[in-house]
């Protein structure tokens, strides 16, 4: 075949503009064979892309069987040129193949690198230093030129800089993705640009070592197909590789270069399959090197590729998203945002608005200049929450295989019947079982339910109830996007949750879960997030809810060896912040807020008195409790709770307590407020009435003074409080009350010294009622 019958299309791996032009080129060329940059030993999976049940975003997952953490993903979006090329070939019934380095070779390379890193761990510091010096000297020529170093790092950025753009994304968008020019000559222009970029780079540059291997393999694959094909061939690859693929290279040299590759893994040593992917994982922010800044914007461009106006639908989508968040967005604001985006594009000398101009217009016209409002929706708008779907007959095995290995290793057989397991954390097998069950819970696979959750902290035993459900396998499939092993997926998922969580208490609870699941990466990230978030929190409720989980983290080392760093310093800092804010936060609360603060104060107090002992920080906390107790603006429920805490800690003596009870439970105080104090003081502590005569007498007198209607009104409260006593305790309480020699009596004292004054007042009121003008006399 003549070399001119091979046509090269340099594309961006996730570009709707590249896809649109590629489809136009394929329709015009009508190639007899389509070759795509991708692992050559995964060709049998390509026909599945045309399956009607296959809905992007999806990814081609490849992993080593014995080392599942060694995995490689090839994501595809609906607007990916490779995906659209496969669909075109399927519709036209043309053969399509991958031509890049086989995945068996890539995984072998990863294994060699991993072994080398393990060897480095065992080497001395001097040996590692000598190797680093040798590597540095070999790359000195390449890195001595700053421009050349920048070119190797980001070739598209170099072109953008030449064109006068500040970033590579904006240049590529204007040239390819958002350009309305349908000229197919754009592929030639991109090829010329890449050729010019690669010319200054030496052929033996270490920076291009992997590229040279891949390009040599692709050239051999293209030549092989060219010998067997009579018609035109379309080669679809990243724009960077086009000059090297079209360049003159001998087959002998290419084969010699390929021989330097490591021996490929056997077919039984690796597996490949399609898995669901998410739109957010297509973004560069997720760490994906070939990602895009705004996946949902590119999805929008693809869906509206044949419409003249694609800005208005995008603005409507943003407006609806803002309205769902409670913002009031008028139609006039949407229209004004479109006008402003067009004006910004003209001012910035762009052919048409990109998502940057539209974002600026949205913030100005629809968010009213409030950037915080845009931040509430920017991830939803730009990154999205789409999840792909794959055909039912595709095996999704990585997480399931890893789970099966762990089940066999730890002798945890999945059964459909409930079965209880008691785990001893002092043994390796017991700790490993506990870690596995906790990790599965974080992956939304509740195979095990911890029966004593929250009560075994600091002990060496856990009790679980295990029952396997078929849908748990589906849950693991859904979490393949986070990794190919249970540990990797749990780490990545929790890290993603920690990055989004703003509530300090929930953040601390997540970190506590990471400790139970032995997720080192997530724990380190969570502690960093806690430290950073703690300096920004001023909400007392948030501070209180974080104290108890943090203390659990600090005390958890009794069962597992953990390095928690400065977690105790963080606890003391948050405790002081909470102590300073608490007296003011307990004022003017509604019923729901009061109940929340009661729970939070009680939980934080119980943890603090066990953890801090006698410290200055604990003294600050006690000072805050005393301020709430003696403040006239505090809620009576919280006054009762704090008074009980002081009394139990002997910071309130019997005389002071008796005076407070007589005041709070006197007939002069409205019954509703007295009931709140009673609720706060005696809930969870009513058993003290069996031993404390001061409390018993005060409650007895208060109850005897209540009117019948008031008593009936608060009867549910009394029943709830006294329900904490068992039958024997109730009997003891009644015996104490009825066997007492002194019984409480209700007495009424009448002051008769003011009878004459009352008679005079009544006489004047009678004249007033009769409209007597002399009633004041």
């Amino acid at each position: 075949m003549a070399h001119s019958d091979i046509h090269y299309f340099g594309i961006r791996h996730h570009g709707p503009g590249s896809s649109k032009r590629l489809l136009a080129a394929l329709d015009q060329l009508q190639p007899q064979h389509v070759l795509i940059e991708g692992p050559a030993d995964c060709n049998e999976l390509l026909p599945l892309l045309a399956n009607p049940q296959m809905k992007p975003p999806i990814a081609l997952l490849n992993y080593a069987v014995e080392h599942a953490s060694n995995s490689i993903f090839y994501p595809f979006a609906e607007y990916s040129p490779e995906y659209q090329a496969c669909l075109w070939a399927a519709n036209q019934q043309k053969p399509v193949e991958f031509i890049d380095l086989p995945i068996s070779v890539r995984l072998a390379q990863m294994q060699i690198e991993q072994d080398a890193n393990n060897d480095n761990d065992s080497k001395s510091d001097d040996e590692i230093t000598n190797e680093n010096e040798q590597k540095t000297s070999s790359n000195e020529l390449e890195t001595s030129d700053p421009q050349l170093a920048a070119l190797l790092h980001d070739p598209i950025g170099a072109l953008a800089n030449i064109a006068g753009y500040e970033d590579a994304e904006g240049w590529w968008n204007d040239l390819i993705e958002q350009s309305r020019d349908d000229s197919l000559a754009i592929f030639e222009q991109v090829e010329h640009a890449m050729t010019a970029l690669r010319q200054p780079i030496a052929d033996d540059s270490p920076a291009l070592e992997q590229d040279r291997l891949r390009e040599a393999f692709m050239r051999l694959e293209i030549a092989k197909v060219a010998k067997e094909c009579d018609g035109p061939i379309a080669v679809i690859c990243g724009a960077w590789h086009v000059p090297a693929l079209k360049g003159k290279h001998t087959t002998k040299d290419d084969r010699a270069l390929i021989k330097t590759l490591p021996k490929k893994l056997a077919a039984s040593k690796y597996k490949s399959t399609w898995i669901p992917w998410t739109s957010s994982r297509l973004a560069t922010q997720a760490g994906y090197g070939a990602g895009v800044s705004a996946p949902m914007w590119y999805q929008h461009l693809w869906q509206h590729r044949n419409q003249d106006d694609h800005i208005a639908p995008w603005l409507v989508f943003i407006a609806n998203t803002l309205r769902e968040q409670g913002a009031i967005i008028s139609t006039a604001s949407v229209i004004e945002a479109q006008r402003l985006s067009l004006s910004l594009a003209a001012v910035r000398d762009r052919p048409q608005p990109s998502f940057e101009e539209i974002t600026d217009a949205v913030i100005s016209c629809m968010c009213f200049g409030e950037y915080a409002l845009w931040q509430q929706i920017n991830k939803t708008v730009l990154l999205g929450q789409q999840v792909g779907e794959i055909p039912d007959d595709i095996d999704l095995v990585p997480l399931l295989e890893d789970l099966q290995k762990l089940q066999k290793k730890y002798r945890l057989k999945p059964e459909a019947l409930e079965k209880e397991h008691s785990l001893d954390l002092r043994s390796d097998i017991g700790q490993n079982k506990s870690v596995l069950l906790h990790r599965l819970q974080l992956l939304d696979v509740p195979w095990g339910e911890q029966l004593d959750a929250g009560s075994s902290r600091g002990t060496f035993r856990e009790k679980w109830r295990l029952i396997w459900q078929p849908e748990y396998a589906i849950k693991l499939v859904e979490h393949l996007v986070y990794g190919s092993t249970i540990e990797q997926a749990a780490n990545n998922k929790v890290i993603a949750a920690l990055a989004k969580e703003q509530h300090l208490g929930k953040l601390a609870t997540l970190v506590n879960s990471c400790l139970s699941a032995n997720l080192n990466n997530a724990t380190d990230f969570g502690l960093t997030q806690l430290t950073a978030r703690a300096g920004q929190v001023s909400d007392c409720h948030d501070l209180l809810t974080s104290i108890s989980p943090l203390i659990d983290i600090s005390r958890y080392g009794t069962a597992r060896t953990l390095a928690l760093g400065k977690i105790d310093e963080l606890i003391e800092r948050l405790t002081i912040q909470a102590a300073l804010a608490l007296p003011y936060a307990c004022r003017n609360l509604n019923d729901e807020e009061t109940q929340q603060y009661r729970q939070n104060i009680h939980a934080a107090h119980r943890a603090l008195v066990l953890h801090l002992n006698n410290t200055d920080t604990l003294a600050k906390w006690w000072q805050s409790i005393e301020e709430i107790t003696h403040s006239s603006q505090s809620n009576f429920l919280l006054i009762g709770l704090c008074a009980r805490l002081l009394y139990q800690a002997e910071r309130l003596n019997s005389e002071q307590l008796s005076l407070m009870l007589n005041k709070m439970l006197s007939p002069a105080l409205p019954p509703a407020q007295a009931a709140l104090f009673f609720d706060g003081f005696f809930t969870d502590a009513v058993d003290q009435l069996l031993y404390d005569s001061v409390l018993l007498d005060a409650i007895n007198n208060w109850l005897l003074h209540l009117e019948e209607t008031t008593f009936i009104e608060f009867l549910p409260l009394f029943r709830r409080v006294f329900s904490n006593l068992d039958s024997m305790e109730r009997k003891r309480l009644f015996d104490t009350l009825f066997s007492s020699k002194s019984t409480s009596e209700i007495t009424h004292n009448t002051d008769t010294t003011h009878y004459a004054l009352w008679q005079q007042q009544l006489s004047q009121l009678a004249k007033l009622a009769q409209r007597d003008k002399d009633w004041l006399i």
Side-chain angles (χ1 to χ4, degrees):
M1 170 183 287
H3 189 271
S4 59
D5 286 338
I6 304 176
H7 301 264
Y8 297 85
F9 300 98
I11 50 89
R12 184 182 188 178
H13 291 298
H14 302 294
S18 297
S19 296
K20 179 181 177 181
R21 286 179 169 78
L22 177 61
L23 292 180
L26 294 177
D27 289 336
Q28 179 177 330
L29 180 64
Q30 289 296 315
Q32 297 302 307
H33 213 111
V34 178
L35 304 179
I36 300 175
E37 177 187 340
D41 49 359
C42 295
N43 286 325
E44 68 278 3
L45 297 176
L46 280 177
L48 294 173
L49 289 175
N51 191 308
Q53 294 183 343
M54 187 76 79
K55 296 181 180 180
I58 54 175
L60 179 60
L61 168 64
N62 310 274
Y63 66 98
V65 173
E66 297 179 355
H67 303 279
S69 58
N70 290 347
S71 57
I72 301 175
F73 295 92
Y74 292 89
F76 293 89
E78 183 183 1
Y79 46 81
S80 298
E82 300 91 335
Y83 175 73
Q84 291 299 325
C86 289
L87 295 185
W88 184 92
N91 293 332
Q92 299 294 327
Q93 297 182 350
K94 304 294 183 181
V96 58
E97 296 181 27
F98 281 148
I99 57 172
D100 204 351
L101 280 180
I103 200 64
S104 56
V105 175
R106 298 287 300 276
L107 291 174
Q109 289 177 319
M110 293 181 63
Q111 186 60 48
I112 292 174
E113 293 175 0
Q114 184 177 5
D115 294 340
N117 292 333
N118 294 336
D119 293 340
N120 286 336
D121 293 339
S122 61
K123 291 181 180 179
S124 65
D125 294 339
D126 293 338
E127 291 175 334
I128 296 176
T129 301
N130 291 334
E131 291 182 1
N132 291 338
E133 289 178 352
Q134 294 176 0
K135 293 179 180 179
T136 302
S137 61
S138 64
N139 292 337
E140 279 182 351
L141 294 177
E142 300 297 338
T143 58
S144 59
D145 187 351
Q147 293 183 351
L148 186 57
L151 172 61
L152 293 174
H153 177 69
D154 185 8
I156 300 297
L159 287 175
N161 188 30
I162 295 172
Y165 281 73
E166 295 182 358
D167 63 294
E169 189 83 10
W171 176 80
W172 187 265
N173 283 343
D174 290 347
L175 181 67
I176 301 291
E177 308 305 346
Q178 295 180 224
S179 175
R180 292 295 182 177
D181 184 8
D182 291 332
S183 174
L184 300 181
I186 193 67
F187 289 109
E188 296 181 6
Q189 297 174 12
V190 172
E191 177 190 340
H192 294 327
M194 294 300 170
T195 302
L197 286 177
R198 294 188 64 144
Q199 282 180 352
I201 306 176
D203 293 337
D204 58 350
S205 170
L208 295 181
E209 180 179 359
Q210 185 66 15
D211 284 344
R212 287 198 304 273
L213 292 171
R214 294 176 58 196
E215 290 159 356
F217 187 88
M218 285 191 280
R219 285 193 295 267
L220 292 176
E221 292 294 305
I222 294 171
K224 185 190 303 182
V225 174
K227 290 181 181 179
E228 302 173 356
C229 184
D230 295 333
I233 298 175
V235 178
I236 302 164
C237 61
W240 176 255
H241 301 295
V242 173
L245 297 182
K246 294 185 68 174
K248 295 182 179 180
H249 297 81
T250 64
T251 303
K252 180 180 178 181
D253 291 340
D254 285 342
R255 288 177 177 172
L257 192 58
I258 293 302
K259 289 182 180 180
T260 63
L261 288 169
K263 182 180 179 181
K264 64 174 64 176
L265 296 180
S268 59
K269 297 294 185 180
Y270 70 96
K271 289 188 177 181
S272 302
T273 186
W274 293 107
I275 63 169
W277 205 247
T278 62
S279 58
S280 60
R281 295 294 294 273
L282 292 169
T284 53
Q285 298 91 315
Y288 177 35
V292 295
S293 298
M296 293 305 295
W297 169 248
Y298 277 8
Q299 178 74 19
H300 174 81
L301 290 178
W302 174 252
Q303 293 175 346
H304 297 80
R305 60 188 180 278
N306 297 322
Q307 297 181 11
D308 293 334
D309 182 14
H310 63 270
I311 300 177
W314 179 252
L315 292 174
V316 171
F317 165 64
I318 295 177
N320 290 334
T321 306
L322 285 169
R323 288 164 183 161
E324 291 174 358
Q325 297 294 324
I328 300 175
I329 308 299
S330 65
T331 305
S333 297
V334 178
I335 296 173
E336 193 61 33
Q338 183 175 17
R339 292 175 178 172
L340 180 56
S341 62
L342 293 171
S343 300
L344 288 174
V347 171
R348 296 172 182 177
D349 197 21
R350 287 191 165 183
Q352 59 180 331
S354 65
F355 75 90
E356 291 95 344
E357 283 74 35
I358 298 177
T359 298
D360 291 341
V362 166
I363 295 174
S364 298
C365 300
M366 298 166 64
C367 297
F368 313 105
E370 295 290 341
Y371 185 71
L373 184 57
W374 167 252
Q375 284 185 314
Q376 295 179 7
I377 65 164
N378 64 342
K379 291 184 178 180
T380 301
V381 170
L382 299 181
L383 304 185
Q385 299 175 348
Q386 289 185 344
V387 180
E389 298 179 9
I390 60 171
D392 299 332
D393 55 351
I394 293 182
D395 295 330
L396 298 172
V397 291
L399 283 178
L400 286 174
E401 283 191 351
D402 186 51
L403 177 59
Q404 290 173 359
K405 290 179 182 178
L406 295 174
Q407 288 172 337
K408 183 177 180 181
K409 182 178 180 180
Y410 302 146
R411 299 191 295 275
L412 278 176
K413 184 179 179 180
E415 297 176 340
L417 299 176
E418 287 188 5
K419 188 175 182 180
E420 290 189 4
H421 288 258
S422 181
L423 306 181
D424 187 350
L425 301 183
R426 292 171 294 184
S427 64
D428 291 339
I429 187 66
Q431 190 173 134
N432 290 332
K433 289 179 180 179
S434 173
V435 166
L436 174 60
L437 294 173
H438 280 292
R439 287 175 178 175
L440 289 175
Q441 285 189 330
L442 292 173
L443 293 175
D444 299 329
V445 180
W447 176 26
E449 177 188 359
Q450 191 173 354
L451 300 179
D452 52 356
S455 61
S456 63
R457 193 72 68 208
T459 69
F460 297 102
R461 291 201 176 275
E462 288 181 351
K463 184 178 291 185
W464 293 80
R465 179 189 294 119
L466 303 185
I467 178 172
W468 182 262
Q469 301 290 351
E471 55 267 23
Y472 293 163
I474 306 300
K475 287 290 186 182
L476 288 176
V477 168
E478 294 173 352
H479 286 84
L480 280 171
V481 67
Y482 293 105
S484 54
T485 66
I486 299 295
E487 180 180 6
Q488 185 184 57
N491 258 308
N492 291 337
K493 181 182 179 181
V494 176
I495 287 175
L498 289 168
K500 297 178 181 178
E501 186 57 61
Q502 298 296 318
H503 192 278
L504 195 61
K506 294 180 180 178
L507 200 60
T509 302
L510 272 176
V511 175
N512 208 352
S513 300
C514 294
L515 294 175
S516 300
N518 198 20
L519 300 176
N520 295 329
N521 294 339
T523 300
D524 293 340
F525 182 83
L527 291 176
T528 303
Q529 291 289 99
L530 271 174
T531 304
R533 178 65 181 152
Q536 304 171 0
V537 173
S538 59
D539 180 68
C540 186
H541 175 74
D542 202 355
L543 292 167
L544 287 174
T545 54
S546 66
I547 291 175
S548 180
L550 283 173
I551 291 178
D552 284 343
I553 293 173
S554 179
R555 300 175 63 218
Y556 197 55
T558 55
R560 296 181 174 91
T561 303
L562 301 169
L564 299 178
K566 299 182 179 180
I567 193 68
D568 287 336
E569 296 180 8
L570 181 61
I571 292 173
E572 292 188 0
R573 190 176 80 182
L574 293 176
T575 302
I576 292 176
Q577 288 180 249
L580 294 174
L582 187 57
Y584 304 95
C586 293
R587 300 175 181 177
N588 304 320
L589 300 176
N590 59 33
D591 293 341
E592 182 179 355
E593 292 171 339
T594 301
Q595 292 295 337
Q596 290 180 351
Y597 270 94
R598 173 167 70 170
Q599 297 173 4
N600 295 335
I601 292 173
H602 188 266
H605 178 82
R606 184 173 52 185
L608 285 171
V609 294
L610 292 175
H611 181 70
L612 295 180
N613 297 324
N614 294 322
T615 64
D616 294 338
T617 305
L618 188 59
K620 289 283 187 182
W621 175 258
W622 279 118
Q623 182 180 350
S624 176
I625 296 296
E626 290 176 358
E627 289 183 24
I628 296 173
T629 305
H630 301 294
S631 173
S632 60
Q633 297 180 340
S634 299
N635 186 281
F636 282 84
L637 182 73
L638 301 182
I639 291 176
L641 170 63
C642 293
R644 190 238 300 173
L645 296 178
L646 291 170
Y647 183 63
Q648 290 176 336
E650 297 182 354
R651 291 176 173 269
L652 197 68
N653 57 40
S654 299
E655 293 180 2
Q656 293 171 326
L657 178 64
S658 179
L659 182 62
M660 174 173 285
L661 291 176
N662 290 335
K663 175 183 176 182
M664 293 297 176
L665 302 179
S666 69
L669 194 70
Q673 295 180 354
L676 286 174
F677 178 86
F678 172 83
D679 188 4
F681 194 100
F682 288 99
T683 297
D684 299 328
V686 70
D687 55 342
Q688 286 192 247
L689 292 174
L690 301 173
Y691 315 101
D692 197 316
S693 59
V694 174
L695 295 178
L696 184 60
D697 290 339
I699 293 301
N700 193 32
N701 289 333
W702 177 60
L703 293 178
L704 290 174
H705 279 83
L706 288 178
E707 297 289 340
E708 180 180 1
T709 56
T710 305
F711 182 86
I712 294 174
E713 179 183 356
F714 295 115
L715 188 58
L717 169 63
F718 302 147
R719 287 177 174 173
R720 175 172 58 81
V721 172
F722 286 96
S723 65
N724 293 325
L725 298 176
D726 58 29
S727 58
M728 291 299 299
E729 290 174 333
R730 291 178 189 174
K731 184 177 183 301
R732 289 179 54 191
L733 178 60
F734 289 138
D735 291 341
T736 302
L737 287 171
F738 296 123
S739 64
S740 177
K741 296 181 181 179
S742 59
T743 58
S744 299
E745 296 180 357
I746 302 176
T747 59
H748 298 276
N749 296 322
T750 304
D751 187 359
T752 61
T753 58
H754 299 291
Y755 271 179
L757 182 60
W758 271 109
Q759 290 296 332
Q760 181 183 352
Q761 293 291 340
L762 289 175
S763 177
Q764 290 178 340
L765 290 175
K767 292 180 180 181
L768 177 63
Q770 297 173 0
R771 297 184 179 182
D772 188 347
K773 296 181 180 181
D774 298 330
W775 68 276
L776 289 175
I777 299 176

